[in-house]
Amino acid sequence: MKYSCFMTGPENTSDPASYRLHDRLGFRVSRLAAVMRASLDAELSQLGLTRLEWCVLASIALEGITAPSGIAENIGITRPTASRTFKQMRDKGWLVQNLTEGDGRARAITLTEAGQDLLARARVLVDAHQARFLDKLDPQAAAHFLSALDTLLEGVHDRFDDP
């Protein structure tokens, strides 16, 4: 017996009238993601920053991840996408890539002063953006929602080029 998302009874798969696109989990999650992505893109663009660049800044400065492969893994992007993004950000003067001590091949990425300043300004926008959505829920509902998202994402390790 199949159960439709957000519905209490079994889904009648033979009755086309029982299907409502707007009741589907995938549609709802995709719609929320698209709305959040578009509004955050607009806000970050005021600083000349993309979401992907924000994710790199946050991974380095807020999560302490400095290895290029670790940053790519954290964000969920491919290594070539990460390399292009690091180059663009180096060209803008936001980060530097240095050899790590003890291993002449390993690299560590750190933020420049300009990158740290940009991070601080962007963090205000990103935090306010998240609050505009989560503040619609009471704290317990927000915690349950985020926990449910974690459960749905469990075991998913896909990489994608548009975080």
Side-chain angles (χ1 to χ4, degrees):
M1 184 178 294
K2 291 185 177 182
Y3 285 85
S4 177
C5 147
F6 301 110
M7 300 178 108
T8 57
E11 178 181 323
N12 181 352
T13 57
S14 63
D15 178 13
S18 70
Y19 185 94
R20 278 199 27 87
L21 178 65
H22 289 231
D23 291 339
R24 307 304 290 192
L25 173 64
F27 182 86
R28 289 176 177 196
V29 171
S30 295
R31 178 74 178 128
L32 177 61
V35 167
M36 291 184 75
R37 182 176 29 243
S39 62
L40 184 59
D41 283 345
E43 291 178 37
L44 291 174
S45 71
Q46 298 171 28
L47 301 175
L49 187 65
T50 67
R51 268 181 305 107
L52 182 54
E53 291 167 340
W54 159 254
C55 291
V56 169
L57 292 175
S59 294
I60 296 166
L62 303 176
E63 298 188 40
I65 303 168
T66 60
S69 59
I71 296 167
E73 176 75 23
N74 189 52
I75 298 170
I77 58 174
T78 63
R79 186 74 169 112
T81 298
S83 294
R84 280 191 306 276
T85 304
F86 299 152
K87 181 184 181 330
Q88 292 166 351
M89 294 177 75
R90 279 194 312 270
D91 292 348
K92 293 176 183 178
W94 297 338
L95 56 82
V96 292
Q97 205 167 356
N98 300 307
L99 294 174
T100 59
E101 290 184 33
D103 185 347
R105 295 173 302 161
R107 305 227 180 253
I109 298 178
T110 57
L111 299 187
T112 62
E113 191 173 315
Q116 292 171 3
D117 178 61
L118 181 61
L119 172 86
R121 290 183 293 132
R123 174 84 188 260
V124 173
L125 296 176
V126 171
D127 288 348
H129 180 265
Q130 178 170 294
R132 274 196 305 282
F133 288 90
L134 286 181
D135 286 353
K136 294 177 181 183
L137 303 173
D138 67 63
Q140 185 177 9
H144 286 300
F145 177 69
L146 294 174
S147 177
L149 288 176
D150 288 342
T151 299
L152 292 174
L153 289 169
E154 232 170 68
V156 176
H157 301 290
D158 292 341
R159 291 182 187 265
F160 43 89
D161 286 340
D162 185 23

